[in-house]
Amino acid sequence: MESQQKFKCLVVDDEPPAREVIRRYIEQISFLEMAGECSNALQVITLLRQQQIDLLFLDIQLPQMSGMDLIRTLQHPPKIVLTTAYDQYAVQAFELAVVDYLVKPIQFDRFLKSVMKALPEKEAPITAEPAASANRGFLYFRADRKMVKVFLSDICYVESLKDYVKIHTVKGPVITKYALVAPEAMLPAAAFLRVHRSYIVAVDKIESLTTEEIQIAGDLVPIGKLFRQQVFKTRIWSPSPGISSTMK
């Protein structure tokens, strides 16, 4: 099987710290490649003539020419995600058919959602398929040099392992090289809950829980302090068929 395609990214911002944030995010995603960075629009025009760029992260407020004016000059622009410290340009931005509009400070999970929007559907490393029933929905994950189909109804919980995630299913684990925010962005929020910085659980697979941990598929998953309040705001704390709750 061929190696995973890299999508070349260009970061454009006149502020070095802002470029550094996007560069660090790109480096955390295995299917993205940093092709270069620019501080003004004229540099972008030159670079686009020299190499193929798949995804452009473009600040709106630039010296000499704004990001939106730059877009208007490009005959065959790459996919574009606009970045700005202001939200008043959103309507104008989407009239230019940009992929997304990110307001600074940009969080990694929001950045990742923009990336997933920009990728061609057939190239997306994690893909969701529509289904008549949510229980028959599924995702594809790249694992062991192939794309593995995982039904949502088979997932018990997802565990972060630094640069990888381990998807615990009723049929066994699937390990794939992504940050936890990748599956989190794809899993339906009504059926899956982030309970810890390293864990996402399937609500219907919970067997019991306390204020500190959840028992699921025979394993114990910790509830993080920062997530505890959100966990107990959800329906899983209220007694329902098949779920018991206990307090320490």
Side-chain angles (χ1 to χ4, degrees):
M1 180 174 287
E2 296 181 358
S3 60
Q4 185 177 356
Q5 179 180 350
K6 297 278 189 176
F7 294 88
K8 294 186 177 181
C9 303
L10 178 62
V11 179
V12 185
D13 201 300
D14 60 332
E15 298 181 355
R19 296 199 302 270
E20 171 65 19
V21 169
I22 300 298
R23 182 169 61 248
R24 285 192 290 106
Y25 287 170
I26 290 172
E27 290 171 351
Q28 293 181 54
I29 301 176
S30 62
F31 51 87
L32 298 184
E33 177 181 322
M34 185 72 178
E37 54 184 82
C38 302
S39 60
N40 61 64
L42 297 180
Q43 292 175 351
V44 176
I45 294 172
T46 300
L47 195 147
L48 289 178
R49 290 179 177 177
Q50 296 173 345
Q51 61 176 299
Q52 176 68 35
I53 298 297
D54 301 303
L55 186 53
L56 177 62
F57 293 95
L58 178 64
D59 186 30
I60 291 180
Q61 295 186 319
L62 295 171
Q64 300 175 316
M65 181 187 296
S66 73
M68 289 193 289
D69 285 340
L70 170 62
I71 295 173
R72 296 185 181 99
T73 69
L74 300 177
Q75 293 184 348
H76 304 288
K79 296 289 183 67
I80 298 174
V81 174
L82 284 173
T83 62
T84 179
Y86 308 95
D87 59 9
Q88 66 262 35
Y89 302 107
V91 174
Q92 293 174 264
F94 285 110
E95 288 176 351
L96 296 174
V98 300
V99 171
D100 209 347
Y101 182 97
L102 298 179
V103 179
K104 302 173 185 175
I106 301 168
Q107 301 300 316
F108 182 72
D109 57 343
R110 185 65 182 84
F111 171 84
L112 181 60
K113 288 181 181 179
S114 291
V115 170
M116 299 304 289
K117 286 182 182 179
L119 295 184
E121 184 176 350
K122 66 178 181 179
E123 301 289 356
I126 303 178
T127 59
E129 291 290 336
S133 166
N135 289 334
R136 297 308 297 163
F138 57 86
L139 302 174
Y140 277 110
F141 295 96
R142 185 177 295 277
D144 297 326
R145 299 184 180 181
K146 60 187 176 183
M147 300 302 289
V148 179
K149 183 178 183 178
V150 179
F151 283 99
L152 299 182
S153 58
D154 288 343
I155 298 175
C156 298
Y157 65 97
V158 183
E159 177 184 7
S160 174
L161 302 173
K162 293 186 177 180
D163 296 332
Y164 294 80
V165 292
K166 186 174 184 179
I167 304 156
H168 297 261
T169 79
V170 296
K171 298 178 180 178
V174 175
I175 299 176
T176 183
K177 190 174 183 180
Y178 296 108
L180 189 62
V181 290
E184 182 180 20
M186 302 299 292
L187 292 169
F192 293 87
L193 180 66
R194 183 79 172 266
V195 300
H196 187 278
R197 63 185 179 85
S198 298
Y199 292 93
I200 299 170
V201 302
V203 174
D204 67 346
K205 297 294 192 302
I206 294 174
E207 299 163 358
S208 65
L209 69 164
T210 70
T211 55
E212 297 181 355
E213 61 189 12
I214 290 171
Q215 182 170 330
I216 187 166
D219 297 330
L220 293 177
V221 171
I223 299 175
K225 291 182 179 179
L226 297 178
F227 297 85
R228 189 169 296 160
Q229 184 177 4
Q230 181 60 33
V231 168
F232 296 126
K233 279 183 178 179
T234 69
R235 67 182 183 279
I236 67 172
W237 186 251
S238 300
S240 60
I243 298 178
S244 64
S245 58
T246 57
M247 262 304 221
K248 281 188 177 181

